[in-house]
Amino acid sequence: MSNARYVGGPFDGGSNPDTFIDEIAMRTPAGCGRYVLEQDEGGIAVYRWEPDQD
């Protein structure tokens, strides 16, 4: 698997080479949430942002 693109959240548009990580929880000045590894509509691995619901 190659780099997974960040979709949404504070790192939107960037990528992560460590695609063995399933979930990345974050607290940032831009908000709290987590990136979850999943496949997009084309079957490509991406980290999709899920903001906290607080």
Side-chain angles (χ1 to χ4, degrees):
M1 195 182 293
S2 61
N3 291 358
R5 186 172 46 95
Y6 288 111
V7 177
F11 297 156
D12 188 35
S15 64
N16 185 340
D18 300 326
T19 55
F20 58 87
I21 300 171
D22 293 330
E23 182 178 316
I24 304 167
M26 305 181 83
R27 280 206 292 185
T28 74
C32 299
R34 62 192 182 127
Y35 281 103
V36 178
L37 184 63
E38 59 184 49
Q39 291 187 350
D40 68 6
E41 301 79 25
I44 298 169
V46 297
Y47 282 105
R48 191 160 319 272
W49 179 251
E50 294 182 356
D52 284 351
Q53 300 301 316
D54 296 348

